[in-house]
Amino acid sequence: MKKVIFRSLMALMILGLAVVMIAGCSKKEEKIKIGFNIPLTGDIPKVGESSKNAAEMLLAEINGQGGLEVGGKKLPLEFFYEDNESKAESAVNAALKLIEQDGVVAIVGPNSSKQAVPAGGTCNDNRTPMVSPWSTNPDTTKNRPWVFRAAFLDPFQGPVAVNFASKQFQAKTAAVLFDISNDYSKGLAEIFKDVFNKKFGDGAVVAFESHGTKDQDFSAQLTKIINSKPDFIFVPDNYNQVALIVKQARDLGWKGPFMGSDAWGSAELMTLCGDDCKGQFFSTHYAAAGAKGATKEFIDRYEAKYKETPDDVAALTWDATRLVLQAIQDAGAYNSDVKAERKAIRDALSSISEFAGITGSMKFDEQGDPIKCAVVVRIDENGNFVFAESVCP
């Protein structure tokens, strides 16, 4: 009899423990899951590193305050980082993993247009909001109601580069060297050529040379460019390619100026390019030197944490992520149904008419693109990116 009672008590205890465990599991803490589709390896790993650094800093700040306040309730954030390897196909696969396996409610990135254009199509097809920090190619968001960005567009950046270079260098002719396999580089090169020729007449772009993403030797293209005797060379390429191009041009005897674009703006440019890039100009999204207010506060915190000045990718990732967070808050309440929450975020993003970012105040058009100012910076003798001019729409 005692054995029967003992067994019964043990069974009740085990049952009670199971109930407690099940109840504990059912009360699993709800988190807001956000994905980051970034290049942690491949041709431009510094871009992915900068994005992740900014995201981690923002994550620590929000979760350190108990989470993001949504509808009077604080919910912790959980960030998922997927490496797109700086490849278009990998960016699509990364987006699908974040959407289907990780169950994120929104995606920040990709950065480069080469990855952002195809990944944007994937996110739009899967009805998942995406905000690209750095992509400037119009096709990233074109006819895609689920895709947004924090950067200005190349149809705006192209004229900025043309007008500044023609004024700064008193230029009447130009040469262009670009990556034909990169949507960003090819698109911006074509815009620049069209605008420059319209300003100074057909043939004012005296050389229009292309290369591939994996190319290391640009001597053939640069020889043609130098022989065409342009007043300056426009290079809308990623920072890793810029370093090689500028060095090789100098080795071939080019003493004239370069004009660059926002893809020059990585913190690693000067590590790779050194003295050869000093004194050159490029259009970009913000200038760290001389920043004030919230921008200066961001820069100081980033420098304290990572021991380097944040580049434009880091600043734009901060803005892009904050856009997503604002949309979550603007929706008024967090929906545990992932598909419903994605729709609420998309609707809220499309309703943001103005946003005070650390890369500048921006308004959004019906395409989901920000209308904002560009900055032209000069690389000074210490390798710092110093403000030269601001150009607004």
Side-chain angles (χ1 to χ4, degrees):
M1 186 66 180
K2 287 182 180 180
K3 287 184 178 180
V4 173
I5 294 171
F6 178 75
R7 287 173 182 170
S8 299
L9 287 171
M10 285 296 294
L12 285 171
M13 288 174 65
I14 292 169
L15 180 61
L17 182 61
V19 169
V20 170
M21 289 176 67
I22 292 170
C25 291
S26 66
K27 291 180 180 178
K28 184 179 178 181
E29 185 178 35
E30 188 171 45
K31 294 181 179 180
I32 300 172
K33 297 180 179 181
I34 298 173
F36 289 79
N37 189 342
I38 52 179
L40 294 168
T41 59
D43 296 327
I44 49 173
K46 188 64 179 179
V47 170
E49 180 186 316
S50 293
S51 273
K52 187 175 182 180
N53 284 349
E56 285 288 282
M57 196 167 84
L58 185 55
L59 178 68
E61 176 187 310
I62 300 296
N63 282 348
Q65 297 168 356
L68 184 71
E69 187 168 342
V70 186
K73 179 182 179 183
K74 285 195 172 184
L75 296 171
L77 303 176
E78 185 174 8
F79 287 176
F80 294 78
Y81 303 99
E82 279 300 316
D83 179 16
N84 61 41
E85 305 173 309
S86 309
K87 299 175 183 176
E89 183 181 352
S90 297
V92 169
N93 292 334
L96 288 172
K97 182 181 182 300
L98 289 166
I99 294 167
E100 297 174 352
Q101 296 183 35
D102 298 322
V104 301
V105 294
I107 294 175
V108 175
N111 283 294
S112 176
S113 296
K114 186 176 182 180
Q115 292 88 50
V117 172
T122 299
C123 289
N124 195 69
D125 291 345
N126 286 273
R127 300 173 68 83
T128 301
M130 167 184 143
V131 182
S132 173
W134 205 42
S135 172
T136 54
N137 188 293
D139 289 343
T140 296
T141 55
K142 188 176 181 180
N143 298 323
R144 293 171 173 175
W146 290 77
V147 184
F148 305 82
R149 75 176 92 217
F152 52 62
L153 271 66
D154 288 332
F156 171 60
Q157 180 173 204
V160 168
V162 168
N163 293 331
F164 180 85
S166 61
K167 178 178 64 178
Q168 179 68 30
F169 310 135
Q170 290 79 52
K172 297 294 188 291
T173 61
V176 182
L177 181 56
F178 65 96
D179 185 343
I180 197 167
S181 56
N182 185 323
D183 293 329
Y184 159 81
S185 185
K186 180 175 180 290
L188 184 50
E190 290 171 345
I191 290 168
F192 178 93
K193 179 183 179 182
D194 182 59
V195 174
F196 199 89
N197 279 340
K198 284 181 179 177
K199 186 177 181 73
F200 294 106
D202 289 342
V205 175
V206 293
F208 194 69
E209 297 293 319
S210 65
H211 63 83
T213 297
K214 297 295 183 181
D215 289 355
Q216 300 286 306
D217 183 357
F218 306 93
S219 56
Q221 297 97 322
L222 287 169
T223 297
K224 290 180 182 178
I225 286 172
I226 293 170
N227 288 340
S228 71
K229 299 181 179 178
D231 291 326
F232 72 99
I233 304 173
F234 180 56
V235 185
D237 268 346
N238 284 325
Y239 64 91
N240 58 317
Q241 296 163 320
V242 169
L244 294 172
I245 289 167
V246 172
K247 284 177 178 292
Q248 289 176 30
R250 296 301 187 212
D251 290 343
L252 290 168
W254 173 255
K255 292 181 171 52
F258 291 89
M259 181 72 199
S261 57
D262 63 307
W264 285 43
S266 169
E268 200 169 33
L269 174 67
M270 296 312 296
T271 302
L272 299 174
C273 194
D275 291 344
D276 290 316
C277 278
K278 291 178 179 177
Q280 307 310 312
F281 296 84
F282 63 92
S283 54
T284 187
H285 305 271
Y286 97 126
K292 299 177 181 178
T295 306
K296 178 68 162 58
E297 182 183 334
F298 164 78
I299 292 167
D300 289 346
R301 289 174 56 199
Y302 192 100
E303 288 178 338
K305 187 173 180 64
Y306 300 113
K307 311 306 178 188
E308 66 179 16
T309 301
D311 53 23
D312 60 352
V313 177
L316 287 165
T317 299
W318 183 272
D319 280 350
T321 310
R322 285 182 58 236
L323 274 167
V324 171
L325 299 181
Q326 180 173 319
I328 293 170
Q329 291 177 309
D330 288 351
Y334 189 76
N335 197 323
S336 57
D337 182 303
V338 174
K339 291 184 177 179
E341 179 59 21
R342 288 170 180 167
K343 175 66 164 55
I345 294 171
R346 193 222 73 86
D347 291 347
L349 278 168
S350 67
S351 297
I352 296 175
S353 59
E354 192 165 0
F355 178 78
I358 60 170
T359 59
S361 179
M362 59 189 89
K363 295 182 178 180
F364 293 86
D365 62 19
E366 64 282 353
Q367 195 68 54
D369 296 324
I371 302 166
K372 61 190 294 193
C373 300
V375 173
V376 177
V377 301
R378 180 177 65 86
I379 305 173
D380 71 9
E381 60 280 0
N382 297 315
N384 296 317
F385 301 160
V386 180
F387 175 87
E389 183 175 281
S390 179
V391 183
C392 297

